[in-house]
Amino acid sequence: MADQGKVDPMHQFEVQKMFDMFHVGNHEVAFTTSAMWMVIAGLLLWVFMIGGMKRQLVPGRWQVAVEGFTGFISGMMNANIGPEGRKYTPYVFSLFMFILMLNVIGLMPLGLFGVHPFTVTSHFAITGFLAILSFAIVLIVGFWRHGLHFFSLFVPHGTPWWLLWLIPVIELVSFLVRPFSLALRLFVAMTAGHVLMKVFASFIIDGVAAGPLVGLGVGIPSMALMVGISGLELLVAGIQAYVFALLTSLYLNDAINLH
Amino acid sequence: MPQISQFAESWYAASQIFWVLLTFGFVFFVIGRGMLPKIEATVDARDRKVADDLAAAKAAHAAADSLEESYRQQSDASRAAAQKAVTDAKDKAAKDAEKRLAKVDAELSDKLSAAEADISAARTSAMAEIESVAADAASDLVAKLSGVKVAAADAKAAVKAVLHG
């Protein structure tokens, strides 16, 4: 919260340093709130997956839940890439589950227990890292499998000869934009949702401060909207994780099968 | 916007990249590479088992069908055989009865004709005796009444003429 009791909707995105660790060059590596939530997400994910490791023929509820997630991603990889996509399922699955966990943790009402929730995926540094990682894997797989033939990606089938000067340029630009769109989409969706919720929350606080009549008149509709938006944000948390994984799988498909 | 303004702080980018590398590396190697293949193997094994069991059930169903078919054929065949045996037995019994009846008939008619022959023989012999007795009696009567001795042959002829009209 900023000065004069005003709610600053951007404050929630600030990464707090918790303690210093070591230096890399003149860059300091510290344990931060962001790092804490990533560690928690990783551990929660690990605990969740352990529940799926009972490997029973007739699964229990937990195992069904875990197998639902794994089946969802392997089905997507199978549909988008084919049998060769199986090799990349671990990466896409890790990506999907990690992003999903971070998105959902950021939405948990942990403030009720005095903990400051923090949405790691609302940081461009994180989404950018994951997007560049995906893009790098696509490039490595593409050049490793097809060599220079990978550049034929920029000349789609059925390109008329008189457009050969234009299409590859457009394709190249759209290809190079991929990591940015991948990173920005997740970062913007998460940021926007959390800003929106904070803004509506500040409406309630400001309305109450302005008196009981204004407080009720503004607070009740704002609260109702908050409830709806919270549900929507949960949906967005899932959809954005899915979109990130889906686009990664589609880009991988380009690299594996070309066009 | 802290997401952008914090890049100015020397620790921000390095810490974010370091920790995302570490945590995502953990997720990828421990969960993605370590646990996911085992879970997928479990799902695959289950799918295969279900498919195998379904195939086995289908095969068992087909076997049961063919078994039932062969059973029905067998029972049809044995029923037909039983019916044939019954009709054969009936035919044979009827034929036997006919044969025996015919034999008994023949015996009876033989006996009848033998009895008839006996009777006619007895009658002719009785007739002959009556003739001779009548001829004797007639010749005796004639001798007694008229004292004329009639030759036996004559008496016989006369009796015969009377007896036979």
Side-chain angles (χ1 to χ4, degrees):
Chain A
M1 251 176 246
D3 299 332
Q4 293 121 29
K6 288 268 188 251
V7 176
D8 175 9
M10 300 313 282
H11 176 72
Q12 57 173 327
F13 299 117
E14 217 160 87
V15 178
Q16 312 284 344
K17 214 196 287 190
M18 292 173 84
F19 55 84
D20 293 341
M21 283 165 46
F22 55 87
H23 285 77
V24 179
N26 55 356
H27 290 287
E28 194 186 337
V29 174
F31 191 75
T32 61
T33 47
S34 170
M36 181 186 79
W37 287 113
M38 282 193 276
V39 170
I40 289 173
L43 291 179
L44 280 180
L45 203 53
W46 184 56
V47 169
F48 174 66
M49 293 297 284
I50 284 174
M53 296 293 284
K54 280 181 231 135
R55 314 194 65 177
Q56 286 164 336
L57 188 63
V58 179
R61 290 165 194 223
W62 198 325
Q63 196 183 335
V64 163
V66 174
E67 282 171 4
F69 278 107
T70 62
F72 176 63
I73 295 298
S74 18
M76 186 182 82
M77 295 300 279
N78 232 348
N80 289 336
I81 303 180
E84 283 186 275
R86 261 187 108 87
K87 222 170 21 171
Y88 304 96
T89 307
Y91 173 68
V92 177
F93 180 74
S94 306
L95 205 56
F96 174 72
M97 293 307 278
F98 190 55
I99 294 173
L100 181 68
M101 198 56 102
L102 291 174
N103 289 353
V104 171
I105 283 177
L107 282 169
M108 290 295 112
L110 299 172
L112 291 176
F113 309 103
V115 185
H116 272 288
F118 175 82
T119 313
V120 179
T121 41
S122 68
H123 271 253
F124 190 65
I126 304 296
T127 62
F129 172 84
L130 294 175
I132 288 170
L133 190 62
S134 287
F135 192 66
I137 288 172
V138 167
L139 283 182
I140 291 168
V141 168
F143 281 114
W144 184 57
R145 287 180 69 103
H146 303 290
L148 292 181
H149 196 62
F150 184 52
F151 285 114
S152 71
L153 192 65
F154 302 131
V155 187
H157 281 301
T159 308
W161 61 268
W162 49 272
L163 271 177
L164 273 179
W165 59 276
L166 181 61
I167 297 287
V169 178
I170 294 174
E171 288 284 329
L172 179 65
V173 170
S174 85
F175 184 76
L176 292 179
V177 156
R178 281 173 179 182
F180 297 100
S181 67
L182 207 53
L184 279 171
R185 187 180 296 109
L186 179 56
F187 150 64
V188 166
M190 287 300 116
T191 304
H194 285 268
V195 168
L196 196 60
M197 288 202 283
K198 200 65 108 190
V199 165
F200 275 109
S202 77
F203 282 177
I204 299 175
I205 296 168
D206 291 350
V208 169
L213 205 67
V214 180
L216 283 177
V218 173
I220 290 174
S222 294
M223 187 65 199
L225 266 172
M226 284 274 288
V227 172
I229 290 169
S230 297
L232 188 72
E233 283 307 309
L234 277 173
L235 187 71
V236 168
I239 286 175
Q240 287 301 328
Y242 171 61
V243 166
F244 204 108
L246 177 72
L247 286 176
T248 300
S249 78
L250 289 176
Y251 298 161
L252 271 170
N253 178 45
D254 280 350
I256 292 166
N257 300 319
L258 291 180
H259 272 305
Chain B
M1 192 175 243
Q3 290 100 313
I4 293 164
S5 62
Q6 281 197 308
F7 272 106
E9 293 174 60
S10 73
W11 54 269
Y12 173 76
S15 308
Q16 289 282 64
I17 301 298
F18 174 79
W19 281 106
V20 75
L21 204 62
L22 201 69
T23 50
F24 186 68
F26 166 78
V27 169
F28 176 65
F29 284 107
V30 174
I31 294 171
R33 302 282 303 261
M35 297 163 117
L36 177 72
K38 285 177 191 153
I39 292 170
E40 278 190 315
T42 309
V43 174
D44 287 350
R46 181 185 309 124
D47 288 353
R48 210 164 28 240
K49 174 127 180 57
V50 168
D52 286 356
D53 286 0
L54 275 179
K58 211 178 254 178
H61 198 80
D65 275 357
S66 71
L67 208 66
E68 195 199 338
E69 180 62 32
S70 75
Y71 163 76
R72 216 183 35 233
Q73 273 170 0
Q74 229 164 33
S75 90
D76 281 357
S78 48
R79 189 176 298 128
Q83 243 154 15
K84 192 166 172 288
V86 167
T87 44
D88 280 0
K90 259 188 204 158
D91 282 0
K92 198 170 164 245
K95 237 177 260 171
D96 274 3
E98 219 169 83
K99 223 187 272 171
R100 231 169 329 161
L101 259 169
K103 204 175 148 199
V104 170
D105 232 22
E107 271 171 23
L108 278 175
S109 64
D110 277 2
K111 254 188 208 161
L112 199 68
S113 54
E116 269 171 358
D118 277 359
I119 287 169
S120 68
R123 208 167 65 182
T124 42
S125 75
M127 264 328 200
E129 247 165 75
I130 283 173
E131 269 175 34
S132 65
V133 170
D136 280 354
S139 56
D140 279 356
L141 275 173
V142 169
K144 269 190 188 153
L145 288 174
S146 58
V148 180
K149 270 210 160 250
V150 181
D154 285 346
K156 230 172 208 173
V159 166
K160 217 173 212 164
V162 172
L163 273 177
H164 295 291

